[in-house]
Amino acid sequence: MATAPTRKGERRDPLVVRDLEFIGGMASAGGWRPEPTLPEIAFAGRSNVGKSSLINRLLSRKKIARVSNTPGRTREINFFKVNDAFVVVDLPGYGYARISKEKRAEWRPLIESYLAERSSLAGVLLLIDIRRGPQDEELDFVPWLEARKTPIVVALTKADKLAKNKRMLEIGKAKKALGLRRDPFPVSAQTGDGLDALWRAVLALVDKR
Ligand code: GDP
């Protein structure tokens, strides 16, 4: 990846978030979305997977969670412009156990309309709780994305909750269940483990655009 020289001539670390801007929320399938001028990376995962914690940690900003967890915004797709170079797209968490089946089904048209039609989509980062492994939603979602030739990076969240040998076991199981070509990334938003490797993989998708 090319690193832009700064005014003083030193190289900038592409992993460092220098600039972050909330650019808006998409509330319905046909609703507002930003002009597709920059590559977009969509973060997907079931509710409680640790998506807000991970986005906060990767973007080093507390205010992201505040935006995405504001009542009314939790069911929206939220767009954050990073370093004027790409956009992090926070998809609504799915599979929330405490809401009705009808409400649960609401995320599908919104998420699918965004993912299926978005010309600027550089890839999807799919988050799965390392202790739960892939469930029905993920087993459906991965082939759905692959059929559309959308690049996927899978991360297993809350890796700090498992001992190393158990972690390796879960990585292998998830890879096999989802038919992935490469290992999913074990990460912890709590300890920061695995975040640099994951961020590099995400930025590589942006670079491929
Ligand atoms: P979201 O619903 O996917 O946005 O999930 P949150 O980021 O709100 O996290 C859900 C719960 O998991 C919270 O209680 C977090 O403190 C916890 N959590 C998130 N990331 C981690 C992690 O890396 N390690 C551990 N142990 N807990 C985490």
Side-chain angles (χ1 to χ4, degrees), residues 45-54 69 93 127 157-161 187-191:
R46 65 177 52 243
S47 299
N48 224 35
V49 73
K51 181 156 58 66
S52 318
S53 306
L54 189 77
N69 291 334
L127 306 177
T157 62
K158 309 187 191 182
D160 58 281
K161 297 218 181 196
V187 294
S188 168
Q190 199 162 82
T191 64

Side-chain angles (χ1 to χ4, degrees), residues 66-77:
R66 265 186 258 133
V67 170
S68 293
N69 291 334
T70 304
R73 291 228 179 266
T74 54
R75 310 239 150 267
E76 287 185 3
I77 298 179

Side-chain angles (χ1 to χ4, degrees), residues 157-177:
T157 62
K158 309 187 191 182
D160 58 281
K161 297 218 181 196
L162 293 183
K164 198 160 189 191
N165 56 345
K166 190 81 180 32
R167 223 182 275 178
M168 300 311 291
L169 204 68
E170 294 303 325
I171 292 168
K173 271 164 58 179
K175 182 182 182 187
K176 189 160 178 230

Side-chain angles (χ1 to χ4, degrees), residues 35-99:
E35 284 297 311
T37 49
L38 292 172
E40 297 178 357
I41 298 286
F43 284 49
R46 65 177 52 243
S47 299
N48 224 35
V49 73
K51 181 156 58 66
S52 318
S53 306
L54 189 77
I55 291 178
N56 274 328
R57 187 86 195 226
L58 287 175
L59 301 183
S60 322
R61 298 292 196 293
K62 286 264 181 282
K63 73 174 178 196
I64 295 275
R66 265 186 258 133
V67 170
S68 293
N69 291 334
T70 304
R73 291 228 179 266
T74 54
R75 310 239 150 267
E76 287 185 3
I77 298 179
N78 291 310
F79 296 84
F80 301 92
K81 188 162 71 174
V82 183
N83 294 348
D84 251 322
F86 64 100
V87 175
V88 163
V89 181
D90 185 11
L91 299 177
Y94 53 78
Y96 194 51
R98 274 184 290 168
I99 58 175

Side-chain angles (χ1 to χ4, degrees), residues 90-146:
D90 185 11
L91 299 177
Y94 53 78
Y96 194 51
R98 274 184 290 168
I99 58 175
S100 67
K101 265 220 163 84
E102 300 83 78
K103 275 235 181 286
R104 245 183 272 170
E106 271 177 16
W107 62 270
R108 263 188 177 256
L110 177 63
I111 292 181
E112 289 186 1
S113 116
Y114 165 76
L115 291 173
E117 298 160 15
R118 196 65 175 164
S119 57
S120 49
L121 186 65
V124 171
L125 171 59
L126 176 60
L127 306 177
I128 298 171
D129 188 319
I130 196 164
R131 296 161 311 165
R132 300 186 67 161
Q135 317 264 309
D136 288 350
E137 286 90 343
E138 289 83 19
L139 295 172
D140 282 350
F141 194 32
V142 169
W144 187 88
L145 289 169
E146 280 171 347

